[in-house]
Amino acid sequence: RSTSDAFRLLFRQGLTEPTAEQVAALPYPQLQLKAKDVNGVLVLGHVDGRQQTWYAGKDAVFYLEPSGLVTGTNGIGRTVRIAIDGVSPFDDLSQAADGTRVQRRYDWTPGYRMGVPITGTLNRTGPEEVEILGRQRTLTRYEETLAGPGIDETNIYWADESGFIWKSTQFLAPGNTVEIVQL
């Protein structure tokens, strides 16, 4: 029933922001996701090692690392896979030095573009106040400029002192970014 109640928050017409009471009423971790074709609360459904599977009803599945970094999606007519080559600075974002380079490979369907190399350059831009469910948090903002074949984008992350990403705007594919807030 709790899962069903969480899914009722998904795609509800007129949904602006979930309340702290709605989130607290459910026994599952939740996040809010905003994109051009999805706007709602996702529920953590499964953890397999470092991969978390978050469900947006029957329409979409998002995969995240424990830090909050998106590693893929399925549903809504597309599939995205994102892999970092080498050591990931997102394993401990708070220790990442300015100018840290992140080499990624993206797979996108439709379009069947596989292994698209994209290089990110990560920089800390300073502390910011971020409100989540009516609570102010002082988080560190990081910007990651992305460059690759036909790609000129920026990811933005707001993380706490442990490196956990509470809020982010992340590039998934051309014309497709998502905003995620951990609730």
Side-chain angles (χ1 to χ4, degrees):
R1 179 179 167 103
S2 293
T3 301
S4 174
D5 290 344
F7 288 142
R8 276 191 216 123
L9 290 175
L10 291 167
F11 313 108
R12 182 180 289 169
Q13 214 148 20
L15 174 70
T16 54
E17 298 290 327
T19 66
E21 293 77 23
Q22 289 171 316
V23 171
L26 300 173
Y28 304 106
Q30 301 153 65
L31 62 79
Q32 183 175 18
L33 185 132
K34 294 179 183 178
K36 66 179 181 180
D37 48 8
V38 178
N39 182 10
V41 175
L42 279 67
V43 177
L44 178 61
H46 183 70
V47 176
D48 184 9
R50 292 183 43 81
Q51 180 171 281
Q52 299 176 348
T53 305
W54 294 80
Y55 293 98
K58 64 181 186 257
D59 297 310
V61 177
F62 282 77
Y63 304 101
L64 278 72
E65 289 186 352
S67 65
L69 187 71
V70 176
T71 60
T73 68
N74 281 328
I76 314 176
R78 70 177 165 272
T79 300
V80 175
R81 293 284 179 259
I82 306 165
I84 293 179
D85 294 331
V87 176
S88 173
F90 298 97
D91 290 342
D92 191 354
L93 188 56
S94 65
Q95 298 302 309
D98 279 350
T100 296
R101 304 283 260 181
V102 183
Q103 187 61 50
R104 291 186 169 84
R105 286 176 287 107
Y106 282 73
D107 297 340
W108 298 309
T109 58
Y112 297 100
R113 294 184 63 196
M114 305 299 185
V116 177
I118 296 181
T119 301
T121 304
L122 194 59
N123 288 295
R124 182 182 322 228
T125 62
E128 283 189 17
E129 291 293 316
V130 175
E131 183 177 330
I132 300 174
L133 295 176
R135 181 176 169 206
Q136 287 294 117
R137 295 178 181 272
T138 302
L139 302 173
T140 302
R141 179 179 168 139
Y142 299 84
E143 292 186 3
E144 179 188 20
T145 56
L146 302 174
I151 304 300
D152 180 17
E153 298 286 339
T154 301
N155 288 339
I156 304 171
Y157 312 97
W158 289 267
D160 64 18
E161 61 279 350
S162 74
F164 179 75
I165 300 168
W166 281 94
K167 181 178 178 180
S168 63
T169 301
Q170 298 183 48
F171 168 78
L172 297 181
N176 189 2
T177 59
V178 294
E179 179 183 299
I180 295 173
V181 178
Q182 296 280 346
L183 302 175

